[in-house]
Amino acid sequence: MRHRSLLVLTTVLTTGALTLTACGSRDEGKPADKTDGAKTVVVIGVDAPLTGSLSALGQGIKNSVDLAAKTANKNNEVPGIEFKVEALDDQAVPASGQANATKLVGKKEVIGVVGPLNSGVAQQMQGVFASANLAQVSPANTNPSLSQGDNWGKGEFKRPFKTYFRTAATDVVQGKFAAQYLFKDAGKKKVFVVDDKQTYGAGLAAIFSDEFKKLGGEIAGTDHVTVKETDFSSTADKVKSSGADSVYFGGQYPEGGLLADQIKKAGASIPLMGGDGIQDPAFISASGEANEGDLSTSIGYPVEKLDTAKKFIADYTAGGYKDPYAAYGGYSYDAGWSIIQAVKAVAAANGGKLPADGGRAAVVDALGKVSFEGVTGKVAFDQYGDTTNKQLTVYKVEGGKWVDVKSDTFNQ
């Protein structure tokens, strides 16, 4: 990750005069000289785990948003506006995410935020962003309650925060899709369910279990693991003694890869399946045992096979980013681009410039109306701020790599 020390110039409209101030080294009351042709700089914030065990995903998120901003600037997508990105590291810790949200809210140049990766982190950020009318678009959150309220499971849908959007399909879609594949396509009838007790993992496991039982499958047993622990031998022994023909894991790849490894070492030669949280090469490399046959679901279709993603992939490669775009790169680019399109709409409706108040509330309203062909397909949001794109894919470990085996559009 490269660090640069920049003097960012932003245009500020004050009582009809155009003045320039330097962010980070501002001397209030002493504006710089007027510069002809200066653009208004707005910042797209990014919150993701940039260090720690999930940094492979976080760096892909950050880089993809950076690419979206650079593309917009290169193409003069919004005349008179220059986009910059400020990325903050939450280390997948909710308290850190909340602190980052407060920091981003406090910077008036920030017009919208992409992130976070984790649903549990998002729960601590939503209210902070809403209090400041600052738009948040996650490329990876999948917990339904973030957009549909805590009682969504009872059929009571109420959007908690109008500032929250996401380009990722929810666990309602992903969990059911996984259950149907494991039961119908893979022919597994007796599954042992494990989760990591986190918002994402526990929620996904519950939705999967409910659907699997509705299909006629049996839950052979359940257990929980703790994030950042490495010894799951007791869970592996429970799986072995249960007689399960498969395992479903709700959680992320650091624990998922070790769990899959230890289950096989315990003598249970059965596939482990999980959600998009395990669909990363690090899941495979975490295991000393062969992962052949392990499964995962992921939002959308494989980016590499989408005609709409060809330019993104080429531009990302040309950008020289040292980290891959990973599982959420395409969705992160689309999240960033949706903010850019919202800014474009707001500026166009206001004489080619942002409103005097900075335009945060106007951008939130405009986000609900954006519609464009993105990297991952059609990008638009429903009345809850959820993506209208319900495409999913099942991956299987074959030859030491994740290989897509089934893609479909899921209709609830």
Side-chain angles (χ1 to χ4, degrees), residues 276-302:
D276 54 323
I278 73 165
Q279 206 270 306
D280 190 276
F283 169 86
I284 300 172
S285 62
S287 176
E289 296 290 313
N291 288 101
E292 295 296 298
D294 282 349
L295 300 159
S296 72
T297 52
S298 189
I299 53 177
Y301 291 170

Side-chain angles (χ1 to χ4, degrees), residues 270-398:
I270 57 178
L272 179 144
M273 187 177 199
D276 54 323
I278 73 165
Q279 206 270 306
D280 190 276
F283 169 86
I284 300 172
S285 62
S287 176
E289 296 290 313
N291 288 101
E292 295 296 298
D294 282 349
L295 300 159
S296 72
T297 52
S298 189
I299 53 177
Y301 291 170
V303 170
E304 295 78 11
K305 295 188 176 182
L306 291 173
D307 289 339
T308 52
K310 288 181 178 179
K311 188 176 187 307
F312 164 73
I313 295 173
D315 289 348
Y316 193 96
T317 301
Y321 298 106
K322 70 174 184 177
D323 299 289
Y325 51 80
Y328 303 105
Y331 299 93
S332 301
Y333 185 99
D334 285 346
W337 199 255
S338 70
I339 293 173
I340 290 166
Q341 291 305 300
V343 171
K344 184 177 182 179
V346 170
N350 193 53
K353 61 183 184 299
L354 293 178
D357 65 0
R360 284 182 174 180
V363 166
V364 170
D365 292 338
L367 261 173
K369 303 170 186 175
V370 299
S371 180
F372 60 91
E373 287 298 325
V375 172
T376 59
K378 184 66 173 290
V379 177
F381 305 103
D382 64 17
Q383 68 269 36
Y384 303 105
D386 287 332
T387 178
T388 58
N389 187 337
K390 303 294 195 276
Q391 298 170 335
L392 295 107
T393 298
V394 174
Y395 292 83
K396 179 186 286 188
V397 178
E398 294 181 354

Side-chain angles (χ1 to χ4, degrees), residues 55-229:
S55 61
L57 299 176
Q59 291 291 340
I61 291 172
K62 181 200 70 171
N63 294 341
S64 299
V65 178
D66 180 72
L67 179 60
K70 288 179 177 176
T71 301
N73 294 336
K74 178 182 177 181
N75 298 340
N76 196 29
E77 185 70 19
V78 187
I81 301 290
E82 180 180 358
F83 293 94
K84 291 191 177 294
V85 172
E86 178 170 349
L88 301 180
D89 182 13
D90 64 29
Q91 297 182 316
V93 177
S96 297
Q98 186 176 50
N100 289 346
T102 300
K103 183 177 181 180
L104 291 168
V105 161
K107 297 190 173 186
K108 65 179 182 180
E109 299 88 1
V110 178
I111 200 72
V113 178
V114 175
L117 168 71
N118 306 86
S119 293
V121 175
Q123 286 181 322
Q124 298 302 312
M125 303 179 80
Q126 286 182 305
V128 179
F129 289 134
S131 68
N133 283 319
L134 184 59
Q136 169 188 12
V137 187
S138 173
N141 295 162
T142 53
N143 188 276
S145 64
L146 295 171
S147 57
Q148 299 175 19
D150 292 336
N151 294 324
W152 65 267
K154 301 177 182 178
E156 301 172 14
F157 305 105
K158 182 178 180 181
R159 187 177 184 180
F161 302 103
K162 69 175 184 178
T163 50
Y164 180 83
F165 300 82
R166 55 177 145 199
T167 54
T170 72
D171 288 335
V172 174
V173 178
Q174 188 174 194
K176 290 182 178 180
F177 187 67
Q180 291 181 13
Y181 181 87
L182 194 63
F183 186 85
K184 296 178 180 179
D185 296 78
K188 302 302 181 183
K189 310 301 180 184
K190 190 177 181 181
V191 63
F192 194 100
V193 179
V194 183
D195 70 68
D196 64 0
K197 298 180 284 190
Q198 301 298 301
T199 301
Y200 163 75
L204 183 58
I207 294 166
F208 167 88
S209 298
D210 185 60
E211 182 70 9
F212 195 79
K213 287 185 289 186
K214 286 181 180 177
L215 292 169
E218 177 186 348
I219 305 299
T222 62
D223 203 4
H224 312 280
V225 298
T226 301
V227 172
K228 296 186 179 179
E229 287 193 357

Side-chain angles (χ1 to χ4, degrees), residues 4-25:
R4 298 180 298 172
S5 179
L6 293 176
L7 183 66
V8 181
L9 296 180
T10 63
T11 60
V12 181
L13 295 174
T14 59
T15 62
L18 180 64
T19 62
L20 294 177
T21 60
C23 292
S25 58

